[in-house]
Each structure stands twice: as C-alpha cells, then as structure tokens.
Amino acid sequence: MSELRRPWFTLTKTGSVLPPALEIAVGLLGLVVQVLTLASDRETPGTTVIVMVVAVALIAQGVADLVWWGRDGRREAVRQG
C-alpha cells in the first residue's frame, strides 16, 4: 500500500464505501435540520451556524473519500493486496 499514499483529507484506509456514505448522510441530515431551524420564525441559537459548518465539512469529507478511492482503481488495488 506504500504506492497508495492517501492525501491528508482521505480518512478511510481500506477504500470502503460505508464510512464516507455515513459521513455524507449525517452531514445532510444535520444540514437539513439546521436549514429548517433557520427557516422557522423563532430565534435561533448561535450553535446553528457551527452545526451547519460541521455538516458541510462532513459532506465534503465523505465526497472527497469517495472520489479519491474511486480514481484509477485504487479501491480494487487495496482489496487485492
């Protein structure tokens, strides 16, 4: 695996699809909840902005993992040894 040096933003070590998919799902859920909170007419707490930033970061991380492992057959190369 020495030839597959992952960049710093790629967290999965095996090329599995489930962790990035979960990151994307949790990020989307958090983002939807926070947008709905902002859309309500009530006063929103300051943590709403922080949660939105974390949600976007989770989505970006999941997409980066999926894209990086999907290039040049990297996922298959790791699985084969």
Side-chain angles (χ1 to χ4, degrees):
M1 186 159 138
S2 61
E3 70 275 357
L4 286 177
R5 296 182 57 138
R6 294 180 320 276
W8 62 271
F9 56 81
T10 304
L11 295 180
T12 57
K13 293 176 175 44
T14 62
S16 66
V17 175
L18 187 60
L22 287 175
E23 287 175 345
I24 294 169
V26 169
L28 284 174
L29 179 67
L31 191 61
V32 166
V33 168
Q34 295 309 313
V35 167
L36 290 174
T37 301
L38 286 173
S40 69
D41 291 334
R42 297 180 301 179
E43 184 177 331
T44 57
T47 57
T48 300
V49 175
I50 295 170
V51 172
M52 286 184 72
V53 169
V54 170
V56 170
L58 273 174
I59 294 168
Q61 175 65 44
V63 169
D65 277 347
L66 288 176
V67 168
W68 192 85
W69 281 108
R71 288 188 180 163
D72 302 327
R74 292 173 178 158
R75 186 174 287 119
E76 291 304 318
V78 168
R79 288 182 182 160
Q80 291 178 359

